[in-house]
Amino acid sequence: MHRTYSMRATRAPTASQIQNPPPPPSTTKSHRFFGRGGFGCLGHALRRNAAGAFGPDLAKKLAQLVKMEKNVMRSMELVAKERMEVAQQLSLWGEACDEDVSDVTDKLGVLLYEVGELEDQYVDRYDQYRVTIKSIRNIEASVQPSRDRKQKITDQIAQLKYKEPNSPRIVVLEQELVRAEAESLVAEAQLSNITREKIKAAYAYQFDALREHCEKVAIIAGYGKHLLELIDDTPVTPGETRPAYDGYEASKAIIQDCEDSLTNWVTQNAAVSSKLSTRARTLSQRRRNNIKARSEGQGFGHDLSAQDAPLSDRDAWVVANQHKEEYGDDEDEDDEDDDVDAPSHSVLDSETGLNGETRGRNHDPVVA
């Protein structure tokens, strides 16, 4: 009786989703044989260790970071799925309890399931951070050949000067070294510029997603505490009958209030703000002023817009497996097991959970 398990009869976009459109589903979302238990941990270790074993030396450390982040995402995906299963089981267990416990556990299942869906959505946004970091790795890998060429020519000149000091080839190699150094300077400048741009964009994606996720989880936790107040925990003597439960409408109203709070949440309404101390704010402002003075006042600014697509354009997001990798060892070939039959929609777009399972108890609607 009085069951309202789904928080949203229709999955209309929330205010936050309208303000910041959600990214494509994460590339890690797929059904994998080695996804659970010890095999999953073994797969994590293999991916992490193999990532830095191949490819240019310059990109090895960042390649390992990218793989470690993929392990993090797969773990979060598993947590989200199992949290939804826990929410369903809580609702099923409470069905056989007294009316007040039964109703409250069912509504708690609603909230916990919503936490799982928020975690699933967070994985999608986390993938955008990882894809951006991967682009730095690709640039590092492309710079390595120019470094190697310059070093090779330098070694050849040193060898010739030692063995044949009067060789005419030394002059030719020195001219080639000048050209190689010029090419290397251009590549290194691009690497330095784009690395700074991408690192700021990547962690902006991550921190924005983390802030939204934590704020919404805090909202759910608050309404969960309100639901607990509906349970009468007054001790009774043997044989005494508890009063009839009259909190069905109250529990339903709490769920509806929680739904409204989640739907209307936007970044501007965030309850938690990170305020700098006076000293930190002064030092940070000084640093920003110095950067601005160097880029504008001294004429050192350069238009780098042609080097890369603007990261602020969310319409430019594409699924990670569509990126053309320039990395020598094809580090993401093992993404094939991640991308197979990857869903084109999030569980937030339906009233069923991951793998199409039904959410909570199946009850025919009964009029109160």
Side-chain angles (χ1 to χ4, degrees), residues 128-129 132-133 135-136 139 189-205 302-313:
Q128 293 305 306
Y129 146 77
T132 307
I133 290 293
S135 65
I136 303 177
I139 296 169
Q190 289 180 337
L191 174 62
S192 176
N193 295 334
I194 295 177
T195 296
R196 285 161 172 76
E197 177 188 356
K198 294 283 189 177
I199 200 72
K200 291 178 69 174
Y203 281 95
Y205 289 150
H302 298 277
D303 183 8
L304 304 177
S305 60
Q307 290 187 359
D308 202 11
L311 294 176
S312 59
D313 184 5

Side-chain angles (χ1 to χ4, degrees), residues 82-351:
E82 294 193 346
R83 192 183 299 278
M84 296 178 192
E85 294 173 353
V86 166
Q88 290 177 322
Q89 190 63 29
L90 174 64
S91 178
L92 293 174
W93 165 78
E95 189 173 14
C97 298
D98 293 337
E99 285 190 336
D100 55 346
V101 175
S102 176
D103 181 56
V104 170
T105 55
D106 192 38
K107 298 305 188 294
L108 290 176
V110 174
L111 299 185
L112 294 178
Y113 199 100
E114 186 68 17
V115 172
E117 289 189 325
L118 290 175
E119 290 171 338
D120 185 76
Q121 183 182 13
Y122 177 62
V123 172
D124 294 340
R125 294 188 178 275
Y126 198 91
D127 195 38
Q128 293 305 306
Y129 146 77
R130 179 178 169 272
V131 168
T132 307
I133 290 293
K134 284 172 63 177
S135 65
I136 303 177
R137 181 209 63 188
N138 296 338
I139 296 169
E140 287 184 341
S142 67
V143 170
Q144 186 69 49
S146 66
R147 289 187 178 184
D148 294 342
R149 180 168 177 266
K150 185 177 70 171
Q151 185 62 44
K152 180 180 179 181
I153 297 174
T154 302
D155 293 342
Q156 288 177 342
I157 293 174
Q159 186 178 18
L160 281 175
K161 286 184 177 180
Y162 178 75
K163 292 184 176 181
E164 303 177 36
N166 299 324
S167 173
R169 181 164 171 73
I170 294 179
V171 178
V172 177
L173 289 175
E174 287 177 342
Q175 293 174 349
E176 291 183 6
L177 180 60
V178 172
R179 290 193 294 269
E181 288 177 340
E183 294 175 359
S184 179
L185 284 176
V186 173
E188 296 287 351
Q190 289 180 337
L191 174 62
S192 176
N193 295 334
I194 295 177
T195 296
R196 285 161 172 76
E197 177 188 356
K198 294 283 189 177
I199 200 72
K200 291 178 69 174
Y203 281 95
Y205 289 150
Q206 180 179 151
F207 292 141
D208 287 345
L210 183 62
R211 184 181 191 182
E212 177 177 350
H213 176 71
C214 294
E215 288 267 350
K216 289 186 175 180
V217 170
I219 290 173
I220 292 175
Y223 284 100
K225 295 288 289 290
H226 289 305
L227 282 174
L228 295 178
E229 298 298 327
L230 301 181
I231 296 179
D232 182 6
D233 59 351
T234 304
V236 295
T237 59
E240 182 182 355
T241 303
R242 289 188 179 277
Y245 178 62
D246 57 356
Y248 290 112
E249 290 301 322
S251 65
K252 183 177 179 179
I254 291 173
I255 292 295
Q256 291 172 341
D257 287 349
C258 183
E259 173 187 1
D260 293 339
S261 296
L262 293 176
T263 302
N264 297 327
W265 186 92
V266 290
T267 304
Q268 290 77 3
N269 297 337
V272 179
S273 60
S274 303
K275 296 182 179 180
L276 296 176
S277 64
T278 303
R279 180 174 183 272
R281 184 167 57 251
T282 302
L283 294 174
S284 298
Q285 185 62 45
R286 183 186 304 170
R287 170 63 179 170
R288 290 193 295 268
N289 292 340
N290 291 340
I291 294 174
K292 185 177 180 180
R294 283 195 296 268
S295 62
E296 296 180 0
Q298 299 179 14
F300 291 155
H302 298 277
D303 183 8
L304 304 177
S305 60
Q307 290 187 359
D308 202 11
L311 294 176
S312 59
D313 184 5
R314 292 182 178 269
D315 295 334
W317 282 353
V318 297
V319 179
N321 63 352
Q322 295 178 4
H323 284 260
K324 297 296 183 181
E325 301 294 346
E326 301 175 6
Y327 194 55
D329 64 337
D330 289 330
E331 173 264 336
D332 272 343
E333 283 186 355
D334 64 354
D335 283 0
E336 292 177 0
D337 62 350
D338 302 334
D339 302 335
V340 175
D341 298 329
S344 60
H345 61 279
S346 170
V347 294
L348 293 169
D349 298 329
S350 66
E351 294 183 4

Side-chain angles (χ1 to χ4, degrees), residues 11-24:
R11 291 290 178 179
T14 65
S16 177
Q17 290 173 335
I18 294 175
Q19 186 180 67
N20 298 303

